[in-house]
Amino acid sequence: MFSMYVSLLAVQYYLEKGGIEELRKANEIKQRRVYEALDEGVQAGVFHGKVQAHSRSWMNVTFVLSNSDAEKRFLEEAQQIGLRGVKGHRSVGGIRFSIYNAVTESQVDTIVAFMRKFIQNEVAKA
């Protein structure tokens, strides 16, 4: 019964926000911003995408770093600013940002700013 109640609250919340179409638009904006930062990191040689652009997930952004030391720094620095659970699946490795419906645009801004700062710092070291 509780799960049905929580589902009702979620549906009411999304209807108040404009329904499925508005949710889709918000998620499209979030995923586009994270993938833009990822692509910047790929171009800088800091990140390497694991998925071809046409197959990218809207909800789970996955990538690897140029080496294990960089990945360790990335995870440590992410933890320091409150980004938790970004280590990829144990069988796949790398990094995974989950940007599900409950992740706000403000939280995505934090992810993107962190990624860009990390890219800048890694490029400066090279």
Side-chain angles (χ1 to χ4, degrees), residues 26-54:
N27 284 332
E28 183 176 18
I29 290 167
K30 292 187 307 186
Q31 64 96 11
R32 183 175 50 239
R33 288 169 43 202
V34 177
Y35 280 117
E36 285 172 355
L38 172 60
D39 291 341
E40 291 169 17
V42 169
Q43 289 177 345
V46 177
F47 302 146
H48 302 285
K50 296 184 66 82
V51 179
Q52 294 179 356
H54 68 277

Side-chain angles (χ1 to χ4, degrees), residues 6-21:
V6 171
S7 295
L8 173 65
L9 292 177
V11 169
Q12 288 174 337
Y13 172 80
Y14 290 124
L15 288 174
E16 289 170 9
K17 295 293 182 185
I20 296 297
E21 183 59 24

Side-chain angles (χ1 to χ4, degrees), residues 90-110:
R90 67 181 172 270
S91 67
V92 178
I95 305 298
R96 182 180 92 176
F97 283 114
S98 294
I99 51 173
Y100 293 102
N101 297 335
V103 175
T104 65
E105 288 187 43
S106 175
Q107 291 166 324
V108 167
D109 289 342
T110 300

Side-chain angles (χ1 to χ4, degrees), residues 72-89:
K72 183 178 177 185
R73 281 192 306 279
F74 188 94
L75 291 169
E76 288 171 355
E77 292 175 20
Q79 181 83 14
Q80 289 171 2
I81 67 162
L83 296 175
R84 310 260 191 276
V86 299
K87 185 173 175 69
H89 190 276

